[in-house]
Amino acid sequence: MPDDATAELTLDQLVARSGLAARTIRFYTGRGMLPAPVKRGRSAYYTADHLARLELVRELQAHGFTLAAIESYLARLPADATPETIALHRTLLAPWMPDLPETLSRAELEARAGRALSTDDLDTLEALGTVQPEEHGRYRVAVAHLSVSVSILDLGLPPTAAAAAHAIFTAHGKAIAEELTDVFRELVWPAYKEAGVPADQLRETVERFKPLTIAALVTSYESAVNETKREAVARRTTGY
């Protein structure tokens, strides 16, 4: 089986390497999610670029991305993206989304929550982005966030307040994620690549960086809250 990044693969070889059916690969190509294969006579050949994109598609699918979302994600990749660049996207994606959502019945959701859930409770959990109603009385649940969200329920937070807070977290979280991704893409990845560091080591670096990032965010938030309090006291004291 070819391992060289410059080697060409037949469709059968690409199927074996990617784990996807030939009809699926043709479907993705038809949708523009993959470049067209290189044609030589009646034969078609694929490259490491095709394999890297298929691996990225599978990673996105594993984390619940819809077909439209995957198409949009791939469309934002640079036209000259190399297999290494595409592998970097997978590296940055996977460690930050280790806990996939689960689909649960109402009874299963309440068992996980450790309490009965009223309609208002479910509205608040939905506003927090933890629960998404689906058909037939089932719910798509971000289980990793359920414990914290149930703790918020115990505070009696109104759904409107939960929705407003969730919007703030989402907006600022997205900005932080984009900026940190740029740091890894523009500063970390080139340095590792020049040093010949394998992609697996970069993945480990990103994974180990996650708890440090969370700790830094908590510290920054605490500092910002304290500064906001000081400014509020100063305004009341000075009348401005």
Side-chain angles (χ1 to χ4, degrees):
M1 203 72 64
D3 287 321
D4 191 339
T6 63
E8 294 182 335
L9 306 171
T10 65
L11 179 58
D12 288 343
Q13 289 172 328
L14 185 61
V15 166
R17 292 282 292 274
S18 68
L20 294 170
R23 64 179 179 276
T24 301
I25 293 172
R26 293 192 183 100
F27 173 74
Y28 288 158
T29 303
R31 300 275 299 201
M33 297 165 65
L34 291 177
V38 177
K39 290 292 186 72
R40 291 200 178 91
R42 299 179 62 182
S43 300
Y45 294 94
Y46 299 82
T47 66
D49 177 63
H50 293 91
L51 180 59
R53 286 174 182 269
L54 287 174
E55 289 173 342
L56 177 57
V57 168
R58 293 194 68 178
E59 191 81 58
L60 292 166
Q61 286 176 328
H63 292 294
F65 280 62
T66 64
L67 178 62
I70 293 173
E71 287 181 301
S72 177
Y73 191 102
L74 293 175
R76 292 196 299 271
L77 290 177
D80 58 350
T82 64
E84 291 79 11
T85 299
I86 297 170
L88 173 62
H89 279 261
R90 289 185 60 229
T91 296
L92 293 175
L93 174 72
W96 291 90
M97 296 195 295
D99 300 307
L100 303 183
E102 297 181 29
T103 300
L104 306 175
S105 67
R106 175 74 170 267
E108 290 169 334
L109 173 56
E110 291 183 338
R112 293 288 188 94
R115 52 171 285 181
L117 298 171
S118 67
T119 301
D120 286 344
D121 290 337
L122 291 172
D123 288 342
T124 300
L125 292 176
E126 184 178 355
L128 289 169
T130 305
V131 168
Q132 180 64 44
E134 294 195 336
E135 294 181 348
H136 310 300
R138 299 182 68 81
Y139 301 86
R140 187 173 177 85
V141 183
V143 178
H145 303 154
L146 185 58
S147 178
V148 172
S149 298
V150 170
S151 297
I152 291 176
L153 293 179
D154 294 334
L155 298 176
L157 194 66
T160 51
H166 180 65
I168 293 170
F169 297 148
T170 300
H172 290 280
K174 185 174 186 294
I176 291 170
E178 289 176 347
E179 292 180 20
L180 284 176
T181 297
D182 288 342
V183 167
F184 273 87
R185 183 176 60 248
E186 297 171 7
L187 301 178
V188 179
W189 175 250
Y192 273 39
K193 187 175 181 181
E194 184 177 351
V197 175
D200 287 346
Q201 186 170 334
L202 177 60
R203 179 183 291 265
E204 181 181 354
T205 299
V206 176
E207 191 164 358
R208 293 177 63 185
F209 188 70
K210 179 179 179 179
L212 298 177
T213 302
I214 294 171
L217 288 173
V218 171
T219 300
S220 298
Y221 173 72
E222 290 172 343
S223 298
V225 168
N226 289 334
E227 180 62 27
T228 300
K229 289 179 179 178
R230 286 193 292 270
E231 291 175 354
V233 170
R235 284 196 298 270
R236 287 196 297 269
T237 302
T238 62
Y240 294 100

